[in-house]
Amino acid sequence: MSEMNLISNEQENLNPYEIVQTQIDHAGELLGVSKDVLDILKKPKRVLYVSFPVKMDDGSTRVFEGYRSQHNDAIGPTKGGIRFHPEVTMDEVKALSMWMSFKCCVVNVPYGGGKGGVICDPHEFSEGEIERISRGFMEAIADIVGPERDIPAPDVYTTPQIMGWMMDTFSRMKGQFSPGVITGKPLILGGSKGRNEATARGCVFAIEEAMKTLNKPMEGATVAIQGFGNAGRILADLLAAQGCKIVAVSDSTCAIYQPEGLNLRQVEHLKDEETASIQDDPDSHVLDRPEDLLGLEVDILVPAALENVITLKNANNIKANIVAEAANGPTTPQADEILFKKGILVLPDILANAGGVIVSYFEWVQNLMNYYWSEEEVNGKLREQMVRSYHEVHTLAKQHQTDLRTAAYMISIQRITAAMEARGWV
Ligand code: NAD
């Protein structure tokens, strides 16, 4: 880390595409990888921009824009979620597709990285409008996706139901039932048992190993979670089941805090109510600023929302022993350097949230075989893959006296490079 000397940069670069390029350069330098290899890795292979019309409930037609980025397919078809969010940009989608390549490689899933996004705020739309946006986007990207090409999945503000509609649109266009085109589907359409909880469950397996590394018990460990959606909310439940005390959670509206531990059932109930919000929880208090959650005195901090939340501005305030990145790209390189110097163990996104893509891979394998596994089998295989990957990364980090993120990148870059060499690309 010290060679990066990034803290001296006065202006922090928050462009995720440039951040991932910095991360690749840093790990590539430690590995001694050739510039030719790094040049390939630092750009996606293909980025598709689409615009498509959607009929709205009031009879008007609205044009939506979106992207699909495919980073590198040396090891297998590209794979990665689709997000619906008003702040989706091409650079964000490119960066997310690159993180997916490294994520798949670090946990030994035979895929390259892909990612997609539609610029929209789904909260503004009816269910019917969301269905038409989902189908419209799939139709627009159908030429470049497919079970052997590029396989989308859920991400921020997209759901199993949305995956179901997209699978249906693709299957109709191709004239054949094609469950393997997308993962994170409802069970009845070939979804995998355990997929909904997989990102959170995988993150819990990584946290358990990290706590063992620090010689700390899970029982009684305090946890703050930013983001209370698929990843954050399920993580709260799973960690609470391990005896952890969830003291703070936040969503896009506010952060709530109760040092004695939140009543999760009550908070979840409020989150599900159309007319209520987590800030109505009578047993906790609302933090002055939602981002204050990040600086709470806790054992485990889990960013589970969006990118660039731990930055040069607030990294010094982080007091947790472990930062488990359920979200993609929550920590900037400058903040990473500060956390490393403070001795905080950061479980990097490409490892910590890889449970989602691992079980998406299992889902795809089951779809191709048309033979389905029990939840125990899925969770057992997930645990095995997460625990093994954590220890590979941790061992390499110790050898090179570096942080887990750099070690994770080193492992993935080595694997992708070997595949590119074997294919004769370099
Ligand atoms: P989600 O849509 O289910 O939930 C997102 C949550 O973040 C919501 O609770 C929302 O209120 C909250 N949020 C939005 N803006 C916020 C803000 N400014 N501050 C605090 N909270 C905010 O999405 P998700 O699937 O849980 O994804 C969350 C993160 O996890 C993303 O970075 C995503 O890329 C990553 N991830 C998800 C999966 C998956 O399988 N779902 C897999 C790997 C990584």
Side-chain angles (χ1 to χ4, degrees):
M1 265 288 175
S2 52
E3 301 98 297
M4 290 172 84
N5 204 17
L6 286 160
I7 294 178
S8 56
N9 288 358
E10 286 219 333
Q11 270 295 355
E12 189 168 32
N13 184 354
L14 297 181
N15 179 319
Y17 182 45
E18 288 165 16
I19 286 177
V20 66
Q21 291 180 324
T22 308
Q23 292 165 336
I24 294 170
D25 272 336
H26 179 52
E29 202 177 296
L30 281 177
L31 277 172
V33 174
S34 76
K35 181 174 173 306
D36 295 356
V37 167
L38 295 182
D39 283 348
I40 299 179
L41 294 180
K42 281 163 67 178
K43 289 188 169 56
K45 173 180 170 170
R46 177 189 287 134
V47 184
L48 178 69
Y49 160 82
V50 296
S51 72
F52 53 98
V54 174
K55 268 265 154 62
M56 307 307 282
D57 288 349
D58 64 5
S60 66
T61 294
R62 192 161 151 185
V63 175
F64 289 85
E65 293 172 289
Y67 308 96
R68 183 74 192 168
S69 170
Q70 299 171 341
H71 172 235
N72 182 298
D73 58 359
I75 286 182
T78 50
K79 177 95 189 79
I82 293 174
R83 71 173 50 171
F84 285 180
H85 196 275
E87 278 149 36
V88 163
T89 64
M90 188 191 280
D91 273 358
E92 180 190 59
V93 172
K94 278 155 88 173
L96 288 162
S97 73
M98 292 160 82
W99 280 318
M100 282 306 296
S101 289
F102 300 114
K103 186 181 303 182
C104 293
C105 258
V106 83
V107 292
N108 246 325
V109 164
Y111 287 137
K115 203 81 181 193
V118 177
I119 307 168
C120 70
D121 183 352
H123 300 108
E124 289 175 11
F125 307 123
S126 70
E127 200 190 7
E129 287 169 335
I130 292 175
E131 175 177 350
R132 294 193 290 279
I133 295 168
S134 307
R135 291 185 183 280
F137 184 60
M138 176 47 95
E139 204 180 324
I141 65 169
D143 282 347
I144 65 160
V145 299
E148 269 92 35
R149 288 179 161 190
D150 180 18
I151 306 128
D155 193 74
V156 175
Y157 297 154
T158 53
T159 59
Q161 175 60 77
I162 290 176
M163 301 303 110
W165 290 323
M166 289 188 175
M167 184 281 255
D168 178 68
T169 296
F170 185 87
S171 296
R172 289 192 203 191
M173 289 174 75
K174 302 293 164 188
Q176 59 188 51
F177 186 63
S178 307
V181 68
I182 206 160
T183 59
K185 301 179 292 292
L187 281 183
I188 191 71
L189 296 180
S192 176
K193 294 201 167 117
R195 173 60 185 90
N196 202 36
E197 304 80 25
T199 303
R201 195 180 297 282
C203 195
V204 171
F205 292 148
I207 291 171
E208 280 174 346
E209 296 310 300
M211 289 292 272
K212 285 184 206 158
T213 303
L214 299 182
N215 266 324
K216 284 180 170 282
M218 293 289 278
E219 184 70 43
T222 51
V223 184
I225 303 178
Q226 182 192 50
F228 205 57
N230 177 279
R233 176 172 172 163
I234 299 175
L235 202 68
D237 280 337
L238 294 176
L239 285 174
Q242 299 275 329
C244 295
K245 203 178 349 169
I246 315 301
V247 296
V249 298
S250 67
D251 64 10
S252 57
T253 61
C254 72
I256 55 171
Y257 180 46
Q258 168 48 262
E260 295 311 314
L262 295 165
N263 177 341
L264 278 182
R265 289 288 87 77
Q266 191 166 288
V267 176
E268 284 167 0
H269 182 70
L270 289 167
K271 183 78 192 160
D272 291 336
E273 284 284 307
E274 287 236 331
T275 51
S277 138
I278 60 170
Q279 63 190 324
D280 301 323
D281 180 33
D283 298 326
S284 59
H285 70 267
V286 176
L287 295 176
D288 288 344
R289 298 173 316 151
E291 59 271 27
D292 290 345
L293 173 145
L294 300 168
L296 291 173
E297 195 115 19
V298 288
D299 297 302
I300 303 163
L301 171 65
V302 186
L306 295 168
E307 297 92 83
N308 292 333
V309 293
I310 303 179
T311 65
L312 196 51
K313 286 203 187 105
N314 61 11
N316 268 314
N317 303 335
I318 307 286
K319 300 177 192 72
N321 301 115
I322 292 176
V323 173
E325 296 184 338
N328 284 306
T331 311
T332 64
Q334 281 99 328
D336 240 346
E337 192 174 359
I338 294 170
L339 299 183
F340 186 62
K341 285 190 175 146
K342 281 166 69 95
I344 296 173
L345 191 61
V346 178
L347 291 170
D349 46 9
I350 60 170
L351 174 66
N353 69 37
V357 78
I358 292 173
V359 177
S360 270
Y361 168 58
F362 296 161
E363 179 174 332
W364 179 78
V365 168
Q366 293 170 79
N367 293 155
L368 298 190
M369 294 189 302
N370 207 3
Y371 176 76
Y372 289 85
W373 308 343
S374 68
E375 189 159 353
E376 292 69 42
E377 200 171 350
V378 170
N379 291 346
K381 286 180 199 287
L382 171 63
R383 176 190 279 278
E384 206 182 294
Q385 220 150 325
M386 284 302 298
V387 171
R388 191 186 55 235
S389 306
Y390 171 84
H391 288 287
E392 283 175 1
V393 171
H394 185 250
T395 304
L396 192 72
K398 267 200 352 211
Q399 270 168 18
H400 287 265
Q401 299 196 339
T402 189
D403 55 306
L404 298 188
R405 187 182 324 277
T406 305
Y409 271 95
M410 288 168 77
I411 290 173
S412 340
I413 290 176
Q414 263 170 335
R415 289 180 179 154
I416 303 185
T417 305
M420 294 198 301
E421 281 171 357
R423 291 184 69 158
W425 294 2
V426 279

